[in-house]
Amino acid sequence: MPTSLRPQLLEHSPLDPAQVRTIARVHHGMLYQHVVAARFVAQEAVSTGFFDWLTVERDEDLELQRGSVRFYLQAKARNELTFSELVEMLLRMHEVRIAHTEGARAGTCRLFLIAGGTIGPELVGREGESRAALEGKVVQAALGSRVDPHALLETWNAIEWLSFETIHPAFPDIRFRPSAAELLTDLTNSLSSVPRLANSPSSAAYALSTAMHALAADSLPGFTQRTVTSGDAQRLVEVVEQRIVAAPDLPVPNMPLPISLDLLAAGRTTLILCSTGAG
C-alpha cells in the first residue's frame, strides 16, 4: 500500500496531555475496583460465608456485610498516592462512622483503604515520622469542613490499609495487587476452582468483571440496588456462564481402539489420533 494511503493512527498529539492521563487514571481506577468486586464474588462462590451481601458504588466503592460487621472499602489504584487525594474519602468515611456510632446505621463499622498503586513518601511514614504532619492536615481538613477535629482524627486512625505487601485477617485469601491486570490473573486462578467456569476461567474473569461494571451502573439484569447477596453468587455464576463460550469437553483418556491385522496391513495408510499427555 502506498504510504500516502496508509491510515494515520496518530495524526496529532492531544491538546491536553494532562486530561488524557486523568481519563486513563479514572478508567483504571474503575476497572480495578470492579475486578476487586469480582474477586469477592468469586471467593463467595468458592467458599460461602465470605459475605452476606456486597454492594458496588454506594457510599464507598465497595460495601460488604459479614454478620454484624459492615466493611466500607475505597480503592485508590494510582501511583504516588498523597494525602490530598484522600481528603474527600476521609470526610465521607467520617460521616459513615458517625452514622454507625450514633445508631443511625446498625452493626459494627470498619473502614478500609485499598492502596492499589504506590504510596507517596508522606503516607508511607504515616505510622512514624509523618504521623504528626498528617494529623495536622487532618485537623486542617476538619476546620475547613466544619467537622470536629478530634472526631475526624479518630476516623483517620480507624481506617485500615490494604495493600499487596500485607495479608489482612479480614481478607486472608485475597491479595490486593498493584494493578488490575495482576488482579485479573488472581481472579482467573480463583474461577478455575468454580466447576461451572473451570473450562474457561480467563474468559469468565473478564465476564464477571464486566458484570460488576454493569452492577455498578444498576443495569445487570436480575439484580437491583447494585447488590449481590450470598445466595445470588451462584446465580451470578450462571449469568457469567451464559456469557462465555465454554471449551469442549476433553476426550476420554485410554479409549479402547480395536486393532486388527488388516488395519495395519502392508500398503495401507492408517492415521491414529491420540493424546501424548503433553497437553
Side-chain angles (χ1 to χ4, degrees):
M1 178 184 294
T3 303
S4 60
L5 297 181
R6 291 176 182 168
Q8 299 297 312
L9 298 181
L10 295 173
E11 72 173 12
H12 56 68
S13 300
L15 294 176
D16 188 351
Q19 181 186 24
V20 174
R21 290 193 295 271
T22 298
I23 292 171
R25 282 199 305 271
V26 169
H27 283 281
H28 179 260
M30 293 177 64
L31 174 62
Y32 187 93
Q33 68 194 48
H34 294 157
V35 178
V36 171
R39 184 70 182 83
F40 286 175
V41 171
Q43 188 65 33
E44 178 63 25
V46 170
S47 56
T48 58
F50 183 72
F51 62 71
D52 297 330
W53 54 256
L54 169 70
T55 299
V56 181
E57 298 283 8
R58 192 159 60 183
D59 289 319
E60 287 302 333
D61 292 338
L62 302 168
E63 293 181 31
L64 185 151
Q65 185 80 22
R66 188 187 297 165
S68 62
V69 181
R70 185 172 303 185
F71 299 79
Y72 297 86
L73 301 101
Q74 172 73 205
K76 294 293 185 184
R78 61 187 65 181
N79 290 325
E80 294 297 311
L81 186 66
T82 63
F83 176 81
S84 63
E85 295 172 298
L86 301 180
V87 173
E88 184 178 345
M89 175 207 75
L90 173 60
L91 294 171
R92 189 171 57 248
M93 284 187 167
H94 180 67
E95 292 183 21
V96 167
R97 187 181 70 83
I98 295 301
H100 280 271
T101 300
E102 296 179 347
R105 292 192 179 184
T108 302
C109 166
R110 293 185 68 176
L111 309 173
F112 291 87
L113 170 63
I114 303 173
T118 59
I119 301 173
E122 186 179 44
L123 292 176
V124 168
R126 64 188 180 278
E127 299 294 339
E129 59 186 15
S130 301
R131 184 181 182 92
L134 286 169
E135 290 183 347
K137 291 185 177 183
V138 172
V139 170
Q140 289 299 316
L143 296 175
S145 303
R146 297 183 178 180
V147 174
D148 179 359
H150 296 290
L152 192 61
L153 278 170
E154 288 182 7
T155 299
W156 171 252
N157 291 322
I159 297 173
E160 302 176 65
W161 290 59
L162 302 172
S163 66
F164 172 66
E165 289 80 10
T166 58
I167 297 177
H168 197 282
F171 307 95
D173 299 316
I174 296 182
R175 301 298 299 275
F176 295 92
R177 306 287 183 181
S179 71
E182 292 170 279
L183 274 177
L184 277 167
T185 299
D186 281 358
L187 178 59
T188 298
N189 294 335
S190 177
L191 292 176
S192 65
S193 300
V194 180
R196 299 175 66 169
L197 303 177
N199 276 349
S200 304
S202 181
S203 297
Y206 281 96
L208 184 55
S209 299
T210 301
M212 291 298 97
H213 181 79
L215 184 72
D218 212 9
S219 59
L220 184 63
F223 296 83
T224 59
Q225 299 182 331
R226 303 184 178 91
T227 298
V228 177
T229 68
S230 176
D232 286 334
Q234 292 301 325
R235 186 160 62 92
L236 188 53
V237 167
E238 293 176 7
V239 172
V240 171
E241 186 180 29
Q242 294 168 4
R243 294 187 178 190
I244 63 176
V245 178
D249 292 335
L250 294 175
V252 179
N254 303 319
M255 181 180 294
L257 176 67
I259 300 293
S260 59
L261 290 177
D262 62 339
L263 186 65
L264 303 176
R268 179 187 294 272
T269 300
T270 303
L271 176 64
I272 300 177
L273 299 178
C274 62
S275 171
T276 64

